[in-house]
Amino acid sequence: MGDALLENLLQKTQSTYVQRTPRSQQAHQRARLALPGGDTRSSTYFKPHPVYIARGSGAVIEDLDGNRYLDFLNNYTSLVLGHAHPAVVEAVGAALPDGTVFGAPHLAQVELAERICARMPGIDLVRFCNSGTEAVMYAVRLARIYTGKPLVIKMEGGYHGTSDVLEISVHPDVAKAGPPDKPLPLPESRGIPPGLAEVSPVAPFNDAEAVQDLLEEHRGQVAAVLLEPMMGSAGAIPPQPGYLQKLRELTRQYGCLLIFDEVQTMRFSPGGAQALYGVVPDITAIGKIIGGGFPIGGVGGTREIMSVYDPEKPGSVSHGGTFNGHPLAMIAGCATLDVLDQAAIDRLNLLAGKLIQGLREAFAQHGMRGQVTGAGSILNVHFTPQSVVNYRGAESSPEPLTRLLHLLLLERGIYTAKRGMLNISVPMAESDVQKAVEAFDDCLAVMRPAIAEAVPELLG
Ligand SMILES: Cc1ncc(COP(=O)(O)O)c(C=O)c1O
């Protein structure tokens, strides 16, 4: 695959970006003296330097140079109400003078827990932590404790945060990852003990038969099957009809638990993806939107499973955390969930549907067989003609094209994830969706020669 045109265009787009963002460049140079590579979060780093955002209001954010962007990233789906929503600002502002956090429970944690238990069909009781990473880590540990079994089946490409236990086969090199229907579990990074891959058999998403084969192979050893109802970071890949239901049946049949990671998908309906798809897991990990813009995570499940943590029960398991149940996160979370009712979510999903349709039409108008996948209010663009139903389908989209799209969209005032993900927030209007579609259309025109060179099969 030749890529001279693509490289050229990337260089040119990067120079334009540098010219538009001198203050971000300065900030990055300063950051490099105190942070490795100037970075403290891999997902927000990109070349030639990340953009530094100074402020946000509603659907708009502004960088240090005063460039304004429509924010279709929303801190990776967590800011479902957009920036500085009045309900959140007011609630947190009113609470701040009373102190931030105490070595004691605060009533706000009960209020958020009550809201979550009332909304989520699979959550009778919930415990809070500080991130989605912790939430899934606890979910998996809970399953191992409750069942007394060691293995947790996960999906190839499934991102569940950065804990050692779950950084298995997140972005594996397909050439080394074994056959598509029986992928090898591979540690994601140096430093992860190989033993963790041995307790994490991996299946392709949307393939219930592959899960059944693993359940057979490891009969009596599996604590749980863990997945996102829609694969988020892997490329907003929705479940095929019947897939989640089949996993529910299989997990019951083989005597193990079903864990949903709803850290991203809880925004799909008031009761999360589990209510939308009508499949209730035994344990659910949540995060992002429930913190209203503050760090948060939560793990919930049936009363019986969650009683493992009940300090009044003999042999209960400890669950600590200096900032667990942080009052400001709890208060912001309550304010967010109160705004995020059925009508608000219906509107988000409707706008996302229009965005998906608009982006697909743009591909079609340019004679390109690109894919736009998604569900609820989260979507992803893929530069591949293959249908994207699992990690390997998404991986066939060349990363430099997505990187180029990201920079070109920034130039046009549209802020997205560098992997081609967009999501909708409450303050967005239909005209914002239209702006994103027009910008994308314009980007495709600019990218056409590079696409023709890098993925000729996309054209035609
Ligand atoms: C599905 C899923 N699970 C877990 C996590 C980890 O959450 P956090 O970044 O809050 O640790 C993420 C983060 O993007 C996620 O998308």
Side-chain angles (χ1 to χ4, degrees):
M1 179 176 92
D3 58 4
L5 284 174
L6 175 55
E7 259 318 305
N8 247 330
L9 194 50
L10 255 174
Q11 295 292 339
K12 209 173 118 203
T13 312
Q14 284 186 355
S15 328
T16 311
Y17 173 77
V18 170
Q19 281 161 22
R20 287 180 60 250
T21 56
R23 294 213 163 112
S24 284
Q25 187 181 36
Q26 263 171 21
H28 181 59
Q29 278 159 359
R30 181 175 156 199
R32 289 175 65 87
L33 303 177
L35 299 152
D39 182 32
T40 197
R41 185 178 177 191
S42 303
S43 53
T44 51
Y45 173 82
F46 59 85
K47 284 183 183 161
H49 57 257
V51 62
Y52 276 68
I53 301 298
R55 59 188 62 83
S57 174
V60 178
I61 50 178
E62 188 180 305
D63 71 14
L64 289 182
D65 291 285
N67 299 304
R68 288 159 72 84
Y69 308 89
L70 269 173
D71 188 4
F72 282 90
L73 180 54
N74 295 304
N75 193 28
Y76 284 84
T77 77
S78 62
L79 289 166
V80 70
L81 302 191
H83 300 272
H85 190 283
V88 176
V89 172
E90 198 180 306
V92 173
L96 205 47
D98 289 333
T100 52
V101 66
F102 312 99
H106 190 279
L107 208 49
Q109 80 184 33
V110 186
E111 287 176 2
L112 185 59
E114 284 168 353
R115 282 166 173 75
I116 290 167
C117 295
R119 289 167 83 110
M120 303 290 283
I123 301 188
D124 297 335
L125 299 173
V126 65
R127 279 231 166 194
F128 293 112
C129 47
N130 301 294
S131 66
T133 294
E134 283 178 54
V136 192
M137 185 184 82
Y138 286 127
V140 161
R141 189 191 290 169
L142 197 52
R144 290 193 166 116
I145 294 169
Y146 183 76
T147 61
K149 295 171 183 171
L151 306 185
V152 173
I153 296 173
K154 78 176 283 287
M155 303 302 139
E156 185 174 43
Y159 176 65
H160 301 285
T162 53
S163 69
D164 281 4
V165 256
L166 288 157
E167 286 243 66
I168 306 293
S169 294
V170 180
H171 296 115
D173 176 351
V174 171
K176 296 182 187 149
D181 56 344
K182 196 172 190 311
L184 291 171
L186 298 174
E188 193 58 24
S189 143
R190 286 178 296 152
I192 295 177
L196 290 176
E198 284 161 26
V199 291
S200 310
V202 169
F205 189 68
N206 271 325
D207 185 346
E209 228 173 89
V211 171
Q212 183 159 17
D213 289 347
L214 288 173
L215 289 167
E216 264 310 320
E217 182 182 337
H218 303 288
R219 198 176 255 280
Q221 293 298 302
V222 179
V225 175
L226 161 71
L227 76 161
E228 296 170 85
M230 175 199 78
M231 283 192 120
S233 303
I237 307 171
Q240 290 181 327
Y243 170 64
L244 299 174
Q245 285 79 357
K246 185 70 192 163
L247 293 188
R248 182 63 283 185
E249 281 165 30
L250 285 172
T251 43
R252 289 215 170 99
Q253 186 184 331
Y254 284 83
C256 60
L257 303 181
L258 182 63
I259 306 176
F260 277 179
D261 177 349
E262 291 233 40
V263 168
Q264 284 198 31
T265 57
M266 190 181 159
R267 55 156 60 213
F268 283 12
S269 89
Q274 52 195 259
L276 185 71
Y277 296 118
V279 177
V280 180
D282 303 292
I283 300 176
T284 306
I286 48 179
K288 299 205 194 264
I289 63 166
I290 61 160
F294 288 83
I296 192 88
V299 58
T302 63
R303 189 166 288 277
E304 189 184 316
I305 294 172
M306 291 302 291
S307 71
V308 161
Y309 286 125
D310 183 342
E312 288 165 14
K313 296 243 160 89
S316 74
V317 168
S318 159
H319 160 238
T322 304
F323 293 107
N324 286 1
H326 193 292
L328 298 182
M330 302 289 116
I331 286 164
C334 287
T336 298
L337 292 185
D338 289 349
V339 173
L340 200 66
D341 58 10
Q342 182 74 59
I345 291 179
D346 285 347
R347 193 176 158 279
L348 290 178
N349 295 351
L350 189 78
L351 286 181
K354 289 190 175 180
L355 182 53
I356 291 177
Q357 194 188 339
L359 300 180
R360 283 182 180 155
E361 281 168 11
F363 264 135
Q365 272 158 20
H366 287 270
M368 295 176 187
R369 294 187 296 138
Q371 311 288 315
V372 186
T373 55
S377 47
I378 304 175
L379 54 127
N380 212 107
V381 172
H382 306 270
F383 291 98
T384 175
Q386 279 187 40
S387 75
V388 175
V389 296
N390 57 30
Y391 167 72
R392 300 212 185 185
E395 261 306 281
S396 65
S397 174
E399 187 269 337
L401 281 179
T402 320
R403 192 150 33 101
L404 176 59
L405 174 69
H406 172 239
L407 286 174
L408 287 170
L409 283 172
L410 278 182
E411 219 176 273
R412 287 157 182 75
I414 304 294
Y415 198 83
T416 65
K418 60 186 179 185
R419 62 172 186 258
M421 182 272 286
L422 295 88
N423 63 89
I424 307 288
S425 67
V426 163
M428 279 181 178
E430 197 161 338
S431 55
D432 296 326
V433 166
Q434 198 44 42
K435 281 182 197 150
V437 172
E438 281 161 20
F440 180 67
D441 184 65
D442 201 26
C443 292
L444 290 184
V446 175
M447 292 173 76
R448 188 179 181 86
I451 291 175
E453 178 193 63
V455 215
E457 60 278 18
L458 205 71
L459 298 163

